[in-house]
Amino acid sequence: MQYLDHGFRWYGDSDPVPLSYIRQAGAESVFTSLHEIPYGEIWPESAILQRKNTLEKSGLRWSVVESLPVSEDIKTRSGDFQRHIENYRKSLRNLGKCGIKLVIYNFMPVLDWIRTDLHYKLPDGSTCLRFDPAQFAAFEIYILKRKGAELDYNPDILKRACAFYKSLDKSALSSFERSIIDVFPGCKMGLSIDDIRAMLAKYSSINEDCLRENLAMFLNDVCPAAEESGVFLAIHPDDPPFDVLGLPRIASDMEDFQKILSCCPSKANTIAFCTGSLSAGSHNDIYKMLCTLQDSIRVVHLRSTQRESDGSFHESGHIEGSVPMYDVVKKLLEIQDKRLSLGENRIVFRPDHGRDMADDLSKPPTPNPGYSYIGRMKGMAELRGLQFGIISEAKRRNNA
Ligand code: DNO
């Protein structure tokens, strides 16, 4: 039995975490993106090679692109979508030529992951990311003023939403607003509330079936290019995996993934198995999903969440919370074992998000919430230790 391929996310030259630290944390490879290239535009071979060389000079490998973003025009199949799809194909071909074969994307409308508190304080003084439906309701109802938003919440949440909103002074209100609409990992898009309203309006006639259809067309358009280039495209689950902002969600549970896999029967059509995102929904049995979807999983995000009784959740330690991490990691090692015996590659994982703790807390807050150094390094160490235990035990049994 071998270790999984240990990856770590890096946001490029502007990331306050240097590559040398990433290597010291025990990572062999890096998940990164060319964040400076606008959504929809081509990733030139020269820029890909330059990033690849930077990583290699630091003794690391570029194992995963996270993400090659899918533009809103593609998701809504409007505007410039045809040109963006053509560009997406070209970028996939260029990545393949440079030897980068795993590409993560998501199909979440309007916003990527959503949290309401980026610095939720835990009893030990460390902080983590948290989602509270009452706070999110306050955002939708009083800040965004989305029509009909109150209908999505029960009276108790509405009451708490109102109290929360009233408790915010001007500066708290503005930082609350920014923490919801401007945390796209890797880039600050400078979006305003009006931008979000305009983006939402584009979905007024797009229901779940229609968004699924748009994803199916996108996949059928780009997977042939990916397959020819030996690239695997991996869809990231919705985070959180339930409806928000009255928008359709189509990558939130097992049934969704089965539909995604069957809408485009290509080897290149795969899943980025993010245990943390999926675990925020009580409907998801993570271990069962892993067993069922295993053939389509080549890249994994490992983290966990603690669901709270009122529908809130916060990001727990990597081997705490509701994800059965021992079972998940053991299963991944077994799946990998089978693949290695067939001459296939190792499964790449990264410790997803981490708490702000120890020296993280005395530094200026990272521009990439969830991606401070020490919290993730702790997650990496725990997950490596877990693998060490499982692998040692397996060796002992084999020798007995
Ligand atoms: C958050 C990440 C996501 C992920 C994208 C993939 O930390 O897990 O933002 O990178 O959704 O496209």
Side-chain angles (χ1 to χ4, degrees), residues 3-7 26-30 59-61 346 380 384:
Y3 284 93
L4 302 172
D5 183 344
H6 284 56
E28 304 160 73
S29 74
V30 165
L60 293 158
R61 219 173 357 103
R346 282 189 297 159
M380 176 88 118
R384 188 173 175 80

Side-chain angles (χ1 to χ4, degrees), residues 9 66-67 104-106 108 112-113 185 236 301 353 371:
R9 195 171 198 176
E66 182 167 0
S67 308
I104 296 182
Y105 70 101
N106 75 69
M108 286 180 249
D112 198 312
W113 55 273
H236 187 281
H301 289 170
H353 304 178
Y371 291 92

Side-chain angles (χ1 to χ4, degrees), residues 12 18 39 45 49 80 92 108 110 120 138 167 208 245 300 317 345 355 377-378 381:
Y39 289 18
E45 233 181 293
L49 284 176
D80 232 1
L92 289 172
M108 286 180 249
V110 183
Y120 178 65
S167 75
E208 223 174 88
L245 294 169
V300 181
N345 290 335
R355 298 178 188 183
M377 182 180 75
K378 178 171 186 264

Side-chain angles (χ1 to χ4, degrees), residues 372-388:
S372 66
Y373 179 62
I374 298 186
R376 281 186 299 155
M377 182 180 75
K378 178 171 186 264
M380 176 88 118
E382 290 175 340
L383 292 163
R384 188 173 175 80
L386 180 54
Q387 291 170 67
F388 176 74

